[in-house]
Amino acid sequence: MNQQFGPTRLAVARSWQSMLVQSQNKTEQQKILIVNDFFARNLRYRTDIQLWQQKDYWATPLETLGKGLGDCEDYAIAKYISLRALGIDDNKLRLIYVKAQIGGPRSNRTQAHMVLGYFASANAQPLILDSLITKVLPAAKRTDLSPVFSFNSQGLWANNSTKSVANPTARLSRWRRILEQTQQEGVIW
């Protein structure tokens, strides 16, 4: 971290590590709020074109923390990996690709966006962790988001299906790269 991003970003990575260690014995609800708050305080939004000079680049948590910048996927991935590192079961977390309504409640404009959903139980309404707003809210209160598909390291779901329709690492090459590179960077979950 120090070599690639410098001492200031190394300090942020160490803060991330400390937050994970200190949050181990918290409830799942507390872990979600702590992780969401950590990334809201330590990252700023930046498009992939501006940051990576690529149309769509998914960064590992260490890359995102190293830059201190990221887009919606980077926030969602960093939160997902953090919550997995805190022991939250994979079946409770899904990265959700949505169409986000932009321009206010009367607007018909949408934009591709990604959030992280936490499902307390299999049939529960998810809580949404988002880079657009810092408050964690139930999906029903996020009427500006329309889900398209969701995935985690175990499955890929589409059209509100209750069963996975595909292997996410086979269908999503960027996701497969994130999982492999994150482990190579020494992040364990």
Side-chain angles (χ1 to χ4, degrees):
M1 251 336 238
N2 192 42
Q3 274 184 325
Q4 194 168 0
F5 301 108
T8 301
R9 301 316 301 171
L10 174 62
V12 174
R14 285 192 173 139
S15 293
W16 178 51
Q17 186 178 31
S18 294
M19 177 271 296
L20 292 174
V21 169
Q22 293 168 8
S23 301
Q24 284 295 326
N25 296 321
K26 304 283 186 187
T27 67
E28 286 187 356
Q29 296 286 329
Q30 290 170 321
K31 290 174 182 180
I32 287 162
L33 295 174
I34 290 166
V35 165
N36 195 63
D37 179 65
F38 178 85
F39 289 104
R41 285 184 294 104
N42 288 285
L43 297 181
R44 290 187 330 258
Y45 184 84
R46 191 68 38 99
T47 67
D48 287 333
I49 291 288
Q50 295 168 318
L51 188 57
W52 302 103
Q53 293 73 51
Q54 294 182 34
K55 186 179 177 201
D56 193 19
Y57 181 82
W58 292 15
T60 67
L62 288 180
E63 288 174 318
T64 301
L65 288 170
K67 295 276 190 178
L69 304 164
D71 70 356
C72 59
E73 293 97 355
D74 304 328
Y75 276 81
I77 290 165
K79 292 173 186 183
Y80 171 86
I81 298 292
S82 297
L83 291 169
R84 292 288 290 124
L86 285 171
I88 294 184
D89 209 63
D90 203 29
N91 64 9
K92 292 185 174 188
L93 299 170
R94 288 193 196 166
L95 292 104
I96 307 170
Y97 177 77
V98 300
K99 289 188 178 184
Q101 181 183 16
I102 55 174
R106 295 175 201 234
S107 173
N108 290 329
R109 291 181 49 220
T110 61
Q111 179 176 312
H113 185 56
M114 189 177 289
V115 298
L116 179 63
Y118 164 78
F119 298 77
S121 64
N123 297 321
Q125 176 185 158
L127 294 175
I128 303 299
L129 293 78
D130 194 352
S131 61
L132 295 175
I133 63 170
T134 56
K135 194 169 186 179
V136 175
L137 294 172
K141 294 204 179 214
R142 293 301 307 274
T143 58
D144 59 321
L145 304 177
S146 298
V148 177
F149 69 90
S150 64
F151 62 96
N152 60 22
S153 62
Q154 302 299 313
L156 186 139
W157 296 264
N159 303 321
N160 294 322
S161 63
T162 55
K163 291 190 174 205
S164 175
V165 297
N167 178 331
T169 57
R171 297 288 303 272
L172 298 167
S173 60
R174 286 184 178 93
W175 181 235
R176 182 176 54 248
R177 186 194 66 77
I178 285 295
L179 295 175
E180 291 168 358
Q181 188 174 339
T182 300
Q183 287 182 335
Q184 289 170 0
E185 292 172 345
V187 178
I188 300 168
W189 69 91

